[in-house]
Structures are given as structure tokens and as C-alpha cells.
Amino acid sequence: MVTIQVDNLIDFVGDVFSHADSSSEESRRIATYLTTANLTGHDSHGVIRVPVYIRWKKMGSVVPNQTPEVVVDTPSLAVVDGKFGYGQTVAPVAVKLGIEKCKKAGLAAVALRNAGHIGRVGDWAEMAAAEGLVSVHFVNAAGSLLVAPFGGVEKRLSTAPYCVGIPRQGQDPIVLDFATSTVAEGKVLVASRGGKKLPVAALVDSDGSLSEDPHVLYGPYTPDGPRDHTKGTGAIRAFGEHKGSGLAFICELLGGALSGTGATAPDRRFANGMLAFYVDPKVIDPANFFDGEISRYVDFIRETKPIAGTDRVLIPGDPERKTRAERTKNGIPLPDDTWAAIVNTAREVGVSEVSIQRATS
């Protein structure tokens, strides 16, 4: 395991993308968002993605330094075409537009289509919550067949994230952010590179047998080599049986089909689609009942008697806050295989050995 200080990791990852044709601003932005995902404990959406992003860039699946286009613009609704730019560049533009419209109208909806991987969706909910807005996000990943629908063994769905952000006065927001699969694909990636093992029966093979072996999804691979989910014989399972599978299906239709990105299909170019709704609590609740009721209900939930083996009952966001504090202080741990893959990618794009050594100093 390698532990890297936050600022060092941001600098190093930024150097990788600046050597891969991204502007200094875009490089820093990608590096910051990826590192922030690690800070919150979402390693599946963190710097482990660096080799994947650079591979997509070389394939032409994602395009550096894109300026998204607003193709539909009404007082309360917009559609933004990311033109396959990095998600960390185009998603903030769409979210900012949603925030602006919501503050004027009290309610807004923004569809983002054709975006590169937008990373941890909770970032965008936190962005809206920082402006005092509730937000709901339906996301899909066109071309990313990873998940078997309930009752099946073949890949038909993306991991189809769903996210809700709720602001709180003087406190961190409540953010619920999860893939509708048993695990995000990035968690399979983490497990395949020496990280946390998968939950039992997270995957299903083509013969219907349940597994937690990443080879089921990726097929054969070397420790620091690429992972290709099209090479495996199996799929990730949807969480919650028919309920998670149904929610994933809705994310595909709203985040994918309605946004114009397209629902997931074989041989479709990878892109994230996101349909987000924004609500201003000050407009819907002028008496400010909402914030006080949040506090009351949070306390009510946390005071629940915990089940045996559990210290206390948590609310969404509690684990992330704890992990962020720990890793900000102590650095970000990365499995050796993960770090080796990132370093190999850095060398491929021309990052100097001095920069690589500086990251771990």
C-alpha cells in the first residue's frame, strides 16, 4: 500500500493530464475531482480512473478542452451537450446552469448529454447544496454494458447512478449517492488491483453462478494491465433484486434516453447522460419548516438503537465525512497495483521520473 498526501496527488495527477493535451486548468480540475473522490472514500471514482481516462482519450472516446453547448434553453429547463469532453469540465457547466435557473424560477431541470465520465455524482449534488438547493440526479453511461437486470445473466444496464443532495443550514449537506448495481464498476476495478474485495455474490456469470471474482467481469488480466469489461463472461448484479434493477432501468430512460445520450447499448460510444432537477427550499417553504424538520429527523434516526455489531446508526454522508477527515490528515492510501498502473500511465504520456518521485515524497 502506498500513501500519498492530498496536494501531492493532485499535483501529480494534474501533471499526467497536462501531458495528455488538457489545458492546465482542465488538468487541475480533473485531478482535484478525482482526488476528492478518494478523500471521501469513493476510491472507485478516484485516481484509479487515471489509466482509464487516458486510454479513452487515446481512443478518441473523450476529447480534452471541450466547451459544452447549450442546445435547449428556456427559463426553467436546459439541455447541455458535453460534446464528449471530460466530465469534470462539462458537468460543472450544466450544474451551474441548473443552479442559476433554479434561483430565478424556484425549480429547474437540466439534461446533460454526451459527457465524458462525470465521476462521483455526489460532487454535483454538493455543488447545488452549497447554493442552498435540493437536487436529484438520474445518470446513465451509454456504451457501458456492465449490469445484468433482475432475473438475467447478460449485461444490459450501466451502473446507472442515482443521487440526491439536501442542503442544511450551517452543516454539511445530506448526500445520497449510489450506483444501482450491487457495486460500482470502479469497485470491481479496485478489487482487481489489490484493493477491497467485492461483497459475496456481487457478480453473476453466464451460467448463473454467483461470484465475487473480478475475472468474471474482466476476463484474464495482468496486475498492472488494462481492464476490459467486454472480455468477461459475466456481469455485475443489480442491487436490491427487482427494485434496484427497476431504478437502473429508469436511470437509463431519464439520464440516457431523455437527455439525448441514449440508453446503454452494445458498441455505443461511452458517454454519461444526466437528468437533474433543482428545487429552491426558500421558494417551496417560505416559513423555513424544512431545515428544522431535517434536524429533528436526523436526530430521530441517529438515536435508533443499533443492531448487534454496529456502533451507531448513520445517515447518508456520515462515512464520507469521517473518511475525508482521516485522509486529509494522513494521506490517501492506494494499493500497490493501483499506484503501479497510474505510474505506468504517467510514463506513457511523458511525465518525468522527478515528478513521479515527488508524488510519494
Side-chain angles (χ1 to χ4, degrees):
M1 189 73 73
V2 177
T3 300
I4 302 179
Q5 296 303 308
V6 174
D7 289 342
N8 286 2
L9 191 56
I10 292 173
D11 289 343
F12 176 66
V13 172
D15 198 12
V16 173
F17 285 97
S18 67
H19 277 79
D21 301 327
S22 286
S23 67
S24 59
E25 294 81 9
E26 178 169 81
S27 299
R28 187 77 180 180
R29 187 164 51 245
I30 296 171
T32 300
Y33 276 119
L34 292 182
T35 302
T36 298
N38 287 104
L39 268 180
T40 59
H42 290 254
D43 295 328
S44 60
H45 288 66
V47 297
I48 196 171
R49 295 280 179 168
V50 171
V52 180
Y53 281 18
I54 296 300
R55 185 170 78 247
W56 283 342
K57 185 265 176 184
K58 290 179 178 179
M59 293 168 54
S61 297
V62 66
V63 183
N65 308 313
Q66 284 288 64
T67 299
E69 179 184 1
V70 180
V71 294
V72 174
D73 192 7
T74 77
S76 61
L77 188 149
V79 179
V80 178
D81 192 325
K83 299 192 289 188
F84 302 98
Y86 280 108
Q88 291 79 7
T89 290
V90 302
V93 174
V95 176
K96 183 180 179 182
L97 185 58
I99 291 169
E100 291 172 350
K101 289 183 180 297
C102 183
K103 285 190 172 183
K104 291 178 181 177
L107 176 68
V110 175
L112 171 65
R113 70 190 188 199
N114 301 332
H117 188 257
I118 63 174
R120 174 179 165 257
V121 185
D123 284 328
W124 318 124
E126 289 174 0
M127 185 175 170
E131 298 294 328
L133 305 181
V134 172
S135 63
V136 182
H137 308 255
F138 297 88
V139 183
N140 91 315
S144 186
L145 286 173
L146 290 163
V147 180
F150 176 68
V153 299
E154 295 179 310
K155 304 181 184 84
R156 289 291 185 271
L157 301 159
S158 68
T159 55
Y162 172 77
C163 180
V164 178
I166 299 173
R168 293 189 291 171
Q169 293 179 12
Q171 299 184 66
D172 292 336
I174 295 171
V175 177
L176 176 69
D177 177 17
F178 57 79
T180 51
S181 49
T182 301
V183 292
E185 187 268 335
K187 293 190 185 299
V188 187
L189 182 62
V190 168
S192 77
R193 294 201 183 280
K196 183 178 179 181
K197 293 183 179 180
L198 294 176
V200 174
L203 309 177
V204 59
D205 214 336
S206 57
D207 62 359
S209 61
L210 304 182
S211 176
E212 49 281 351
D213 180 359
H215 289 90
V216 169
L217 187 67
Y218 296 130
Y221 55 78
T222 58
D224 59 355
R227 308 292 191 261
D228 186 347
H229 62 79
T230 67
K231 304 299 184 184
T233 56
I236 306 172
R237 299 175 69 206
F239 89 92
E241 306 297 342
H242 62 284
K243 296 179 181 179
S245 184
L247 182 55
F249 182 68
I250 295 301
C251 287
E252 291 285 354
L253 297 184
L254 296 183
L258 186 57
S259 72
T261 304
T264 301
D267 302 320
R268 177 165 274 167
R269 182 175 180 176
F270 177 88
N272 274 148
M274 178 169 70
L275 180 66
F277 299 94
Y278 303 88
V279 180
D280 189 343
K282 294 192 300 294
V283 176
I284 199 171
D285 175 37
N288 195 28
F289 172 77
F290 185 51
D291 196 66
E293 185 66 359
I294 292 173
S295 296
R296 184 201 68 80
Y297 198 62
V298 165
D299 291 343
F300 184 57
I301 293 297
R302 284 182 170 156
E303 290 166 359
T304 308
K305 180 181 178 180
I307 195 171
T310 301
D311 293 333
R312 63 191 180 100
V313 175
L314 305 177
I315 65 166
D318 282 345
E320 287 85 351
R321 278 184 284 275
K322 180 181 178 181
T323 303
R324 186 191 291 264
E326 291 175 349
R327 292 186 174 184
T328 298
K329 178 181 179 181
N330 300 319
I332 293 173
L334 298 173
D336 290 338
D337 288 352
T338 296
W339 181 240
I342 296 170
V343 168
N344 286 346
T345 299
R347 289 177 175 138
E348 288 173 7
V349 299
V351 173
S352 71
E353 294 299 318
V354 172
S355 179
I356 294 170
Q357 295 300 318
R358 187 185 301 124
T360 55
S361 63

